[in-house]
Amino acid sequence: MAELRYVRALNQALSDAMAADPSVVVFGEDIAAAGGPFGVTRGLLEAYGADRVRDTPISEATIVGAAVGAAMTGLKPVVEIMFMDFVAIAMDAIVNQAAKARFMFGGQGSVPMVVRLPHGGGVSAGPQHSQCLEAWFAHIPGLKVVCPASVADAYGLMRAAIDDPDPVILVENKALYARKEDVPDDLPAVEIGKARIARPGRDATIVTYGAALYTALEAADTLAGEGVEVEVIDLRSLQPWDEAAVLESLSRTHRLVVAHEAVEAFGVGAEIAARMADIGFDELDGPIVRVGAPFMPVPFAKTLEQGYLPDAGRIADAVRKTLA
């Protein structure tokens, strides 16, 4: 076992993938000489050279467009968009090209690329640098979307994303980069589409992902003091998502809360709630309750942002509501 930070786990996954496969290349704004705005690509330029680790102009459309072309002609690009908010400029290349190439070419081609998107608030970065937009991509057939919460999963899902033959959106919460955990010396890849039980319980299920996992675990600790044992499911993968694992948990607890940092309206939680109301209706003994951010831009002011982000108190109240 060794202690590892989330940011270092991502860095190690990139380095290990590049060492194992010379077709893996990395490019984006300030990712080479500077090592990335959050340090995820630090040291890769020195280790693998300027042909495989490239700084780009400030042009997200160019970055992702070049990645699609590179992926279709034999490389495995991993590109970083500095903040998830900026990916709007690159949506055509992701949604209309990368996501649809396999289908449009009758399965004869693929686009093995990874788009890294740092998302989330809590760092007073303001409304144009703090959004959680993963639901955009989960809605697009042809894309896979993953969002690791733990340090081990940051490594494992990065490796799985790079190895995948199709485009993968890797969502990283900025608030997690400094997180430390003890991890095994040999970190394995994590299967895309498989959730994990972060905390077992019997009275209600909380389904969550990303940084909201730790808020949900805090809520579960609070509720345990009231004699309520909550099961917490870390989705890890948003598209495809592990509906079998969620249904299995619901069949044991009979109550469901879905929590995420993203805006509640039309979010990932809405899909999970609708699906469980369909296939899990007979298991429900109470209403499905969603917890998410309000329908407004992310505030810059620290006090306002704290009120904007879903906290453990709101998640605990949601569990109390479904138990009532």
Side-chain angles (χ1 to χ4, degrees), residues 260-282:
H260 51 60
E261 184 179 326
V263 168
E264 180 181 308
F266 294 87
V268 171
E271 171 62 21
I272 295 169
R275 186 64 178 148
M276 288 301 113
D278 181 9
I279 65 173
F281 182 79
D282 290 340

Side-chain angles (χ1 to χ4, degrees), residues 133-216:
L133 304 173
E134 54 273 10
W136 287 4
F137 300 101
H139 186 69
I140 304 300
L143 296 179
K144 295 183 175 77
V145 184
V146 298
C147 186
S150 72
V151 172
D153 285 346
Y155 180 93
L157 285 171
M158 174 72 86
R159 291 301 303 271
I162 293 170
D163 289 342
D164 199 278
D166 293 307
V168 179
I169 307 298
L170 181 68
V171 183
E172 308 159 8
N173 194 290
K174 298 189 292 292
L176 294 179
Y177 282 134
R179 181 176 179 81
K180 293 180 182 179
E181 292 176 13
D182 289 329
V183 297
D185 294 329
D186 295 320
L187 285 164
V190 174
E191 184 179 354
I192 292 175
K194 293 295 183 182
R196 71 180 181 98
I197 298 175
R199 176 185 175 128
R202 65 174 186 270
D203 298 315
T205 297
I206 301 174
V207 176
T208 187
Y209 61 88
L213 169 67
Y214 301 102
T215 311

Side-chain angles (χ1 to χ4, degrees), residues 16-309:
D16 289 353
M18 296 182 79
D21 186 346
S23 68
V24 178
V25 296
V26 179
F27 52 94
E29 297 167 16
D30 291 335
I31 62 95
F38 302 105
V40 173
T41 53
R42 189 168 296 154
L44 297 182
L45 174 63
E46 293 77 11
Y48 300 102
D51 285 344
R52 298 180 64 193
V53 184
R54 292 174 176 256
D55 282 327
T56 67
I58 303 175
S59 176
E60 287 77 13
T62 299
I63 294 167
V64 180
V68 174
M72 295 181 74
T73 52
L75 296 178
K76 295 181 179 178
V78 181
V79 298
E80 176 177 320
I81 302 300
M82 192 176 292
F83 291 89
M84 189 179 209
D85 316 65
F86 302 166
V87 77
I89 302 168
M91 289 296 276
D92 181 69
I94 296 172
V95 172
N96 288 326
Q97 309 305 327
K100 296 178 172 57
R102 180 182 288 278
F103 179 81
M104 293 179 69
F105 293 123
Q108 299 177 78
S110 61
V111 185
M113 60 180 278
V114 179
V115 182
R116 293 183 42 242
L117 299 177
H119 81 158
V123 293
S124 294
Q128 296 170 323
H129 298 74
S130 305
Q131 297 173 89
C132 295
L133 304 173
E134 54 273 10
W136 287 4
F137 300 101
H139 186 69
I140 304 300
L143 296 179
K144 295 183 175 77
V145 184
V146 298
C147 186
S150 72
V151 172
D153 285 346
Y155 180 93
L157 285 171
M158 174 72 86
R159 291 301 303 271
I162 293 170
D163 289 342
D164 199 278
D166 293 307
V168 179
I169 307 298
L170 181 68
V171 183
E172 308 159 8
N173 194 290
K174 298 189 292 292
L176 294 179
Y177 282 134
R179 181 176 179 81
K180 293 180 182 179
E181 292 176 13
D182 289 329
V183 297
D185 294 329
D186 295 320
L187 285 164
V190 174
E191 184 179 354
I192 292 175
K194 293 295 183 182
R196 71 180 181 98
I197 298 175
R199 176 185 175 128
R202 65 174 186 270
D203 298 315
T205 297
I206 301 174
V207 176
T208 187
Y209 61 88
L213 169 67
Y214 301 102
T215 311
L217 290 171
E218 183 184 346
D221 286 341
T222 298
L223 291 163
E226 303 170 14
V228 176
E229 291 298 329
V230 175
E231 183 150 289
V232 180
I233 302 292
D234 176 10
L235 281 179
R236 304 198 288 192
S237 177
L238 309 182
Q239 185 61 269
W241 64 281
D242 196 348
E243 69 173 44
V246 175
L247 181 60
E248 182 181 356
S249 179
L250 177 62
S251 70
R252 286 184 277 104
T253 68
H254 305 291
R255 289 173 171 82
L256 179 63
V257 171
V258 188
H260 51 60
E261 184 179 326
V263 168
E264 180 181 308
F266 294 87
V268 171
E271 171 62 21
I272 295 169
R275 186 64 178 148
M276 288 301 113
D278 181 9
I279 65 173
F281 182 79
D282 290 340
E283 302 292 349
L284 287 166
D285 289 342
I288 300 173
V289 183
R290 290 184 292 148
V291 180
F295 192 64
M296 61 173 286
V298 185
F300 167 78
K302 185 175 182 179
T303 51
L304 292 176
E305 188 180 38
Q306 287 174 342
Y308 170 91
L309 296 172

